[in-house]
């Protein structure tokens, strides 16, 4: 009970001071994507507090600044861009941007798994973990012929994955960390 209260207190202090409950390094590395929910606020002005869902085109709208393209931006980079624009109207503005919900980090599993579909990932989710989220392989799956498809620079890259080898602890380098939008195909 004391630990839960301590965690709530830490999260509350972070929110009061405009900092997320995760480290600055983690939010500095995460690239904002479509579907993510951000809270943007200017300290001392409740009318400038707004929750924003990043649309598919990455362009958000916010009072005073109009539109802002978030393509390829991290939370600190967006905070800097918004602060610069807001300060044209409010010279001493302190802008806070919090990542409330991550919805854009997803990958897909299709084919002969028990629960094909779209799954949330973290920056450390690998192929075996994704297959586990999908309920494992069906009895008719071709475990040695799994492929991860990744879009990069307008081209599709293929990464072969042999479930049986990895399960035995061999060729572990093929158990790659998944990225946003990857598709695991289980024939």
């Amino acid at each position: 009970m004391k630990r839960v209260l301590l965690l709530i207190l830490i999260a509350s202090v972070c929110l009061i001071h405009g900092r997320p409950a995760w480290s600055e390094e983690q939010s500095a590395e995460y690239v904002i994507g479509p579907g993510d929910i951000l809270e943007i606020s200017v300290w001392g002005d409740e009318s400038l507090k707004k929750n924003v869902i990043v649309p598919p085109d990455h362009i958000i709208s916010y009072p005073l600044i109009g539109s802002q393209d978030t393509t390829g931006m991290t939370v600190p980079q967006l905070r800097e861009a918004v602060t610069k624009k807001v300060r044209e109207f409010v010279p001493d503005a302190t802008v806070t941007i919090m990542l409330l919900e991550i919805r854009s980090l997803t990958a897909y599993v299709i084919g002969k798994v028990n629960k094909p579909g779209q799954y949330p990932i973290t920056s450390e989710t690998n192929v075996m973990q994704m297959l586990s989220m999908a309920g494992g392989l069906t009895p008719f799956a071709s475990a040695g012929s799994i492929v991860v498809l990744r879009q990069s620079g307008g081209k599709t890259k293929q990464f072969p994955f042999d479930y049986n080898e990895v399960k035995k602890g061999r060729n572990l380098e093929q158990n790659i960390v998944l990225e946003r939008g990857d598709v695991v195909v289980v024939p």
Side-chain angles (χ1 to χ4, degrees):
M1 180 69 173
K2 287 182 182 180
R3 183 172 185 200
V4 172
L5 291 174
L6 179 61
L7 291 173
I8 291 171
L9 177 64
I10 290 170
S12 299
V13 169
C14 288
L15 289 174
I16 289 169
H17 293 287
R19 291 189 302 263
W22 55 88
S23 73
E24 186 70 23
E25 294 85 31
Q26 288 171 315
S27 68
E29 294 172 5
Y30 177 76
V31 176
I32 299 166
D36 291 344
I37 301 176
L38 307 169
E39 179 185 90
I40 305 174
S41 61
V42 175
W43 187 81
D45 191 340
E46 279 297 312
S47 67
L48 293 176
K49 183 176 183 178
K50 183 177 179 185
N51 287 356
V52 177
I53 298 175
V54 179
D57 66 359
H58 297 265
I59 299 174
I60 61 169
S61 294
Y62 185 73
L64 298 181
I65 70 166
S67 298
Q68 173 66 50
D69 189 351
T70 65
T71 303
M73 295 182 102
T74 63
V75 172
Q77 290 170 333
L78 179 59
R79 183 183 316 119
E80 185 178 323
V82 171
T83 298
K84 184 177 179 180
K85 289 182 177 181
V86 168
R87 285 190 176 163
E88 292 176 17
F89 302 96
V90 184
D92 295 330
T94 300
V95 175
T96 301
I97 299 180
M98 293 184 353
L99 183 58
L100 296 180
E101 195 171 330
I102 297 174
R103 292 185 178 173
S104 66
L105 274 181
T106 57
Y108 306 85
V109 183
I110 61 172
K112 295 178 181 165
V113 292
N114 290 307
K115 296 184 292 184
Q118 177 181 357
Y119 291 93
I121 60 171
T122 67
S123 60
E124 299 174 1
T125 305
N126 61 42
V127 179
M128 284 296 270
Q129 291 167 329
M130 178 59 70
L131 292 172
S132 175
M133 286 189 264
L137 307 180
T138 66
F140 303 105
S142 181
S145 301
I146 297 170
V147 177
V148 177
L149 303 176
R150 176 174 295 159
Q151 295 294 318
S152 180
K155 296 181 180 179
T156 302
K157 294 182 180 179
Q158 292 186 28
F159 300 91
F161 181 82
D162 187 330
Y163 179 85
N164 294 323
E165 287 288 305
V166 174
K167 185 172 77 171
K168 293 175 185 173
R170 296 191 295 241
N171 298 321
L172 297 177
E173 66 279 354
Q174 60 185 320
N175 191 23
I176 61 172
V177 172
L178 297 172
E179 295 181 4
R180 177 183 283 149
D182 282 357
V183 179
V184 180
V185 181
V186 182

